[in-house]
Amino acid sequence: MTRTERGRYVVLEGGEGVGKTTQAARLARRLDAAGIDALVVREPGGDPFAEAGRALLLGDLDRAPQTEVLVFNALRAQVLLARILPALEAGRWVVSDRSRLSTIAYQGHGHGVDLAWTRAVCDACTQLCEPDLEVVLHADEATASSRRTARGTTDRFERLDAAFHRRVVDGYLAEAARDGLPVVDASGTEDQVEQVLWNAIASLVDATP
């Protein structure tokens, strides 16, 4: 019996209004067109248990940001074990809208939770299944704010003030520099961003049998 080649796990990261959800769907369609079966998941969420937790996290019940770190990672473990690992082992690619960097950027940099502790909790979780590639999408503040307004939907995190979102964006860029991750300019059109993102994952696509 021929062993199934493991799929690839790609994570799109970035602050509000950079187009992660749109680009995750576009990337999956482009992979499908290239003959690569792709699954799109989102964090928090991705399976029934994690989706129930998403509603709790994005709601308005008071909680400590340290609690958010732990709950986000519990839900992350669920979708990794329930959906992502099985898909990868079956040879499918997985495109995730957010993962560990979101927790580090929002709770660590945004809310000021100890960064070493936050990274350690996230690392303990993502060791279950580490991404093949994490890409940070970045747009200037005016563009991101305009997109958030046009979208018209708001959750607990989107309603936080501009200073918080600046800390989050700065956090993403700091973590990308720290880990040597690619940063994609997401200020252009959807087509332009899709092409730049495709170029960023080209080496993974080329290495696929």
Side-chain angles (χ1 to χ4, degrees):
M1 179 183 293
T2 302
R3 182 179 181 276
T4 301
E5 183 74 18
R6 180 186 183 276
R8 302 289 186 266
Y9 176 23
V10 177
V11 177
L12 304 187
E13 292 279 10
E16 307 295 339
V18 297
K20 295 178 301 301
T21 302
T22 297
Q23 292 302 326
R26 280 176 163 248
L27 178 55
R29 286 197 297 269
R30 191 150 181 176
L31 287 167
D32 286 338
I36 299 172
D37 186 20
L39 167 70
V40 178
V41 297
R42 67 176 181 176
E43 287 196 16
D47 92 321
F49 182 88
E51 288 293 333
R54 177 187 179 89
L56 179 66
L57 281 167
L58 299 187
D60 292 325
L61 290 175
D62 287 339
R63 83 295 298 263
Q66 290 87 346
T67 301
E68 290 181 341
V69 172
L70 296 169
V71 176
F72 272 117
N73 277 285
L75 301 182
R76 181 166 299 133
Q78 172 65 19
V79 73
L80 284 170
L81 293 168
R83 298 204 68 197
I84 294 175
L85 267 170
L88 294 174
E89 290 168 358
R92 302 180 73 187
W93 281 49
V94 176
V95 180
S96 182
D97 176 353
R98 297 193 183 279
S99 188
R100 68 174 189 97
L101 280 184
S102 288
T103 304
I104 296 170
Y106 279 75
Q107 281 67 47
H109 290 272
H111 282 309
V113 178
D114 181 79
L115 281 170
W117 179 78
T118 303
R119 291 188 188 112
V121 174
C122 291
D123 288 346
C125 177
T126 53
Q127 282 173 6
L128 294 168
C129 181
E130 296 184 358
D132 293 283
L133 180 65
E134 297 167 282
V135 181
V136 175
L137 277 62
H138 173 69
D140 63 86
E141 186 173 352
T143 298
S145 177
S146 174
R147 289 174 179 171
R148 291 198 302 270
T149 300
R151 188 167 58 197
T153 58
T154 59
D155 58 38
R156 178 186 183 89
F157 296 102
E158 290 174 323
R159 290 195 298 271
L160 293 170
D161 62 27
F164 173 85
H165 288 289
R166 281 192 291 272
R167 292 194 299 273
V168 168
V169 171
D170 290 345
Y172 272 118
L173 297 178
E175 295 299 318
R178 179 179 184 270
D179 294 342
L181 304 177
V183 177
V184 167
D185 182 1
S187 300
T189 67
E190 291 179 1
D191 288 345
Q192 289 170 335
V193 177
E194 178 185 333
Q195 185 58 51
V196 176
L197 184 58
W198 184 255
N199 294 342
I201 71 162
S203 61
L204 290 180
V205 176
D206 292 342
T208 300

